Amino acid sequence: MAAHVLIVDSISANRILLKVKLAGAFVQVEQAASAGEALDLLQADLPDLLVLGGDLVDMSALTLCAKIKENPAFAHLPILLVHTDGSRADRIAALRAGADDAFEMSVTTDALLARIRSIMRARNSYEELRLREQAGRLPGLADAMQGFDRPAQVLIAGHSTATGQEWCRQLQRIVPYGLRSQPLPEIMRDMSQFSAPDAIVISLQTALPEDALRLLAEVRARATTREAAVLVVLDENNDSARVNALDLGANDVLSDGFDAEEAALRLDSMIARKRLADRLRKRVDDGLAAAVTDPLTGLFNRRYAMPHLSKMAQHADTQRADFAVMLADLDHFKRVNDRFGHAAGDMVLAEVARRMRRCLSQTDLIARMGGEEFLIVAQTDNAEDAAKIAERLCDAVRTEPVALRGRDIQIPVTVSIGVAMGSEMLKAKKNALPNCAKSHEAIASALIDRADQALYGAKAEGRDKVTLSLPAA
């Protein structure tokens, strides 16, 4: 779907010129001739990018820009001002008003489109994260986003040691960030050894751009630095260098040498967007983790366990390996809830989960399937070894009673376990299972059933026991 761009300018010729420049960006263009009309259009359908031209009939472009940014509904809308004379003062004023960048009307089409591509990449990434976060939002994870405590860390990649140190010195007086500098060649050599900064400022000499562009490409290629904000500083205004830097992944470009005040304003905006994206990304990750994790015990839940078991069956089928599927159920758990309360029962479940997890290797799976029932999937060569693992789990649970925090109560707990071997069901796959159920998902379900039958046997034999399922007929 084409990006939606709103052009605002009171002079129709300017709107037409901007629309022509944007033709190569394959965007859907909408136009407004006044600030009032623009605000109405924003309320009706928020665009992906706002391009402000010359002063409007009802207010200045800077006033409109600031007014838009004050509205929380529009706070993340990217804004370009294309009406300035290209002076430093105009750029500073535009950045202070909340614009992402400012250009003179005579800006080349290539430079303008490169900047728009850079802005839209960031915009699309943010929107994707926001939609994923909203779609996956769970109760308890919808709290307001909290700010970061630590100051942002900024790495200055100067073309020389002296350059980086001087830029650090100038920035240190006006930004609250942690700053350090390192020459370009050293950064390329040491990238794998330092923690990723929040932002990187790269010095690009237009006569010799290779090192700077190579570092930029490397930053975007590495998982550890991919999300860092990047500001490229050109030593002179050069459209080709600007376009190359933006298309290789720079978030922003200082096009006419280093200026501490302008760099600080651009870094403020870039780091704010980066940290917002980090928070959204963490919320998405937390939501995904919560979707497959049991909140009481911290173990995986059934939603994660069943696909994992299917993959284990597929792997074992391919590699001719074996594994054990165990169902563990706490004995007489209802009595614990009835006598001591459900809060005590939760403590017992959490402690039993901790003890069993401690007995297993990192490659084994343990998941809470519901209530007081747990699934264990362990890689093992034979039923004897599987039985030893299950006995070890029983020992860990019964060894000592569970002490209730804040209450002088000790609750003895035991667990019964049923064991089924994956190889038995994989052998039966070719003969016993009907054609429609020969998938590894069906094998996983069948193994759960076999382990469950064995668990009933352990309960029938007096509990606190391990029972192996009988081989398939």
Side-chain angles (χ1 to χ4, degrees), residues 26-205:
F26 305 104
V27 297
Q28 172 194 342
V29 174
E30 193 172 13
Q31 300 181 41
S34 68
E37 183 183 355
L39 291 171
D40 289 341
L41 290 173
L42 291 180
Q43 293 284 358
D45 185 14
L46 190 66
D48 298 300
L49 173 65
L50 180 63
V51 179
L52 297 181
D55 284 352
L56 308 174
V57 292
D58 45 355
M59 74 176 66
S60 72
L62 290 177
T63 303
L64 176 59
C65 182
K67 185 178 181 67
I68 290 171
K69 288 297 180 177
E70 289 170 0
N71 188 328
F74 307 145
H76 303 300
L77 174 64
I79 300 177
L80 284 183
L81 266 65
V82 190
H83 79 291
T84 69
D85 61 8
S87 69
R88 174 187 181 277
D90 273 357
R91 290 197 306 272
I92 295 292
L95 293 170
R96 288 193 183 283
D100 290 76
D101 215 334
F103 294 95
E104 56 203 84
M105 189 62 78
S106 60
V107 62
T108 66
T109 299
D110 287 345
L112 180 61
L113 293 185
R115 188 67 180 103
I116 289 175
R117 286 193 295 270
S118 172
I119 287 174
M120 294 313 301
R121 278 197 305 271
R123 170 77 169 174
N124 292 340
S125 296
Y126 167 78
E127 285 299 317
E128 181 182 354
L129 279 172
R130 187 180 64 83
L131 291 172
R132 287 173 59 192
E133 188 271 338
Q134 289 179 347
R137 186 176 293 174
L138 298 172
L141 293 178
D143 302 324
M145 294 183 186
Q146 301 299 315
F148 286 72
D149 293 328
R150 67 173 183 84
Q153 301 300 305
V154 178
L155 172 61
I156 308 293
H159 59 268
S160 68
T161 301
T163 297
Q165 291 176 346
E166 176 60 21
W167 291 4
C168 274
R169 187 186 65 78
Q170 293 183 35
L171 280 173
Q172 194 70 66
R173 299 195 299 263
I174 56 176
V175 298
Y177 311 136
L179 298 169
R180 73 179 185 88
S181 67
Q182 197 171 356
L184 278 167
E186 292 183 16
I187 292 176
M188 291 288 290
R189 184 191 64 209
D190 300 339
M191 276 188 72
S192 60
Q193 301 176 19
F194 58 75
S195 58
D198 295 285
I200 303 175
V201 180
I202 300 177
S203 169
L204 189 152
Q205 294 179 294

